[in-house]
PDB file of all heavy atoms in Angstrom:
ATOM      1  N   ARG A  62       5.057 -15.299  37.781  1.00 97.00           N
ATOM      2  CA  ARG A  62       4.771 -13.903  37.417  1.00 97.00           C
ATOM      3  C   ARG A  62       6.056 -13.143  37.098  1.00 97.00           C
ATOM      4  O   ARG A  62       6.126 -12.376  36.136  1.00 97.00           O
ATOM      5  CB  ARG A  62       4.034 -13.209  38.564  1.00 97.00           C
ATOM      6  CG  ARG A  62       2.607 -13.665  38.758  1.00 97.00           C
ATOM      7  CD  ARG A  62       2.032 -13.117  40.051  1.00 97.00           C
ATOM      8  NE  ARG A  62       0.611 -13.406  40.204  1.00 97.00           N
ATOM      9  CZ  ARG A  62      -0.040 -13.361  41.352  1.00 97.00           C
ATOM     10  NH1 ARG A  62       0.617 -13.016  42.467  1.00 97.00           N
ATOM     11  NH2 ARG A  62      -1.322 -13.645  41.415  1.00 97.00           N
ATOM     12  N   PRO A  78      -5.223 -27.130  37.918  1.00 94.00           N
ATOM     13  CA  PRO A  78      -4.983 -25.888  37.166  1.00 94.00           C
ATOM     14  C   PRO A  78      -5.993 -24.798  37.489  1.00 94.00           C
ATOM     15  O   PRO A  78      -7.194 -25.048  37.554  1.00 94.00           O
ATOM     16  CB  PRO A  78      -5.110 -26.339  35.709  1.00 94.00           C
ATOM     17  CG  PRO A  78      -4.752 -27.791  35.740  1.00 94.00           C
ATOM     18  CD  PRO A  78      -5.316 -28.304  37.040  1.00 94.00           C
ATOM     19  N   GLN A  79      -5.469 -23.590  37.707  1.00 90.00           N
ATOM     20  CA  GLN A  79      -6.292 -22.406  37.943  1.00 90.00           C
ATOM     21  C   GLN A  79      -5.842 -21.329  36.959  1.00 90.00           C
ATOM     22  O   GLN A  79      -4.832 -20.667  37.185  1.00 90.00           O
ATOM     23  CB  GLN A  79      -6.123 -21.908  39.389  1.00 90.00           C
ATOM     24  CG  GLN A  79      -6.464 -22.933  40.448  1.00 90.00           C
ATOM     25  CD  GLN A  79      -6.143 -22.438  41.846  1.00 90.00           C
ATOM     26  OE1 GLN A  79      -6.529 -21.335  42.230  1.00 90.00           O
ATOM     27  NE2 GLN A  79      -5.409 -23.242  42.612  1.00 90.00           N
ATOM     28  N   GLU A  80      -6.568 -21.185  35.901  1.00 82.00           N
ATOM     29  CA  GLU A  80      -6.177 -20.250  34.848  1.00 82.00           C
ATOM     30  C   GLU A  80      -6.217 -18.798  35.312  1.00 82.00           C
ATOM     31  O   GLU A  80      -5.489 -17.946  34.793  1.00 82.00           O
ATOM     32  CB  GLU A  80      -7.099 -20.420  33.635  1.00 82.00           C
ATOM     33  CG  GLU A  80      -7.089 -21.803  33.008  1.00 82.00           C
ATOM     34  CD  GLU A  80      -5.829 -22.094  32.211  1.00 82.00           C
ATOM     35  OE1 GLU A  80      -5.069 -21.137  31.951  1.00 82.00           O
ATOM     36  OE2 GLU A  80      -5.615 -23.266  31.862  1.00 82.00           O
ATOM     37  N   ASP A  81      -7.068 -18.496  36.324  1.00 89.00           N
ATOM     38  CA  ASP A  81      -7.283 -17.102  36.686  1.00 89.00           C
ATOM     39  C   ASP A  81      -6.216 -16.531  37.624  1.00 89.00           C
ATOM     40  O   ASP A  81      -6.241 -15.337  37.935  1.00 89.00           O
ATOM     41  CB  ASP A  81      -8.660 -16.937  37.340  1.00 89.00           C
ATOM     42  CG  ASP A  81      -8.826 -17.795  38.593  1.00 89.00           C
ATOM     43  OD1 ASP A  81      -8.042 -18.751  38.760  1.00 89.00           O
ATOM     44  OD2 ASP A  81      -9.731 -17.510  39.386  1.00 89.00           O
ATOM     45  N   VAL A  82      -5.264 -17.341  38.083  1.00 93.00           N
ATOM     46  CA  VAL A  82      -4.255 -16.805  39.000  1.00 93.00           C
ATOM     47  C   VAL A  82      -3.108 -16.121  38.252  1.00 93.00           C
ATOM     48  O   VAL A  82      -2.288 -15.431  38.855  1.00 93.00           O
ATOM     49  CB  VAL A  82      -3.680 -17.915  39.918  1.00 93.00           C
ATOM     50  CG1 VAL A  82      -4.776 -18.496  40.795  1.00 93.00           C
ATOM     51  CG2 VAL A  82      -2.979 -19.002  39.116  1.00 93.00           C
ATOM     52  N   LEU A  83      -3.061 -16.303  36.943  1.00 94.00           N
ATOM     53  CA  LEU A  83      -2.015 -15.690  36.131  1.00 94.00           C
ATOM     54  C   LEU A  83      -2.652 -14.976  34.944  1.00 94.00           C
ATOM     55  O   LEU A  83      -3.721 -15.378  34.471  1.00 94.00           O
ATOM     56  CB  LEU A  83      -1.030 -16.764  35.633  1.00 94.00           C
ATOM     57  CG  LEU A  83      -0.121 -17.366  36.710  1.00 94.00           C
ATOM     58  CD1 LEU A  83       0.466 -18.687  36.242  1.00 94.00           C
ATOM     59  CD2 LEU A  83       0.987 -16.388  37.074  1.00 94.00           C
ATOM     60  N   PRO A  84      -2.005 -13.925  34.429  1.00 90.00           N
ATOM     61  CA  PRO A  84      -2.600 -13.146  33.340  1.00 90.00           C
ATOM     62  C   PRO A  84      -2.585 -13.921  32.018  1.00 90.00           C
ATOM     63  O   PRO A  84      -1.638 -14.666  31.743  1.00 90.00           O
ATOM     64  CB  PRO A  84      -1.687 -11.914  33.248  1.00 90.00           C
ATOM     65  CG  PRO A  84      -0.372 -12.394  33.773  1.00 90.00           C
ATOM     66  CD  PRO A  84      -0.704 -13.367  34.861  1.00 90.00           C
ATOM     67  N   VAL A  91      -0.646 -22.898  31.573  1.00 97.00           N
ATOM     68  CA  VAL A  91      -0.906 -23.560  32.855  1.00 97.00           C
ATOM     69  C   VAL A  91      -1.178 -25.030  32.570  1.00 97.00           C
ATOM     70  O   VAL A  91      -2.081 -25.365  31.793  1.00 97.00           O
ATOM     71  CB  VAL A  91      -2.102 -22.918  33.582  1.00 97.00           C
ATOM     72  CG1 VAL A  91      -2.425 -23.697  34.861  1.00 97.00           C
ATOM     73  CG2 VAL A  91      -1.804 -21.459  33.914  1.00 97.00           C
TER      74      VAL A  91
END
Side-chain angles (χ1 to χ4, degrees):
R62 289 170 173 161
Q79 302 174 50
E80 300 286 348
D81 59 342
V82 297
L83 289 161
V91 175

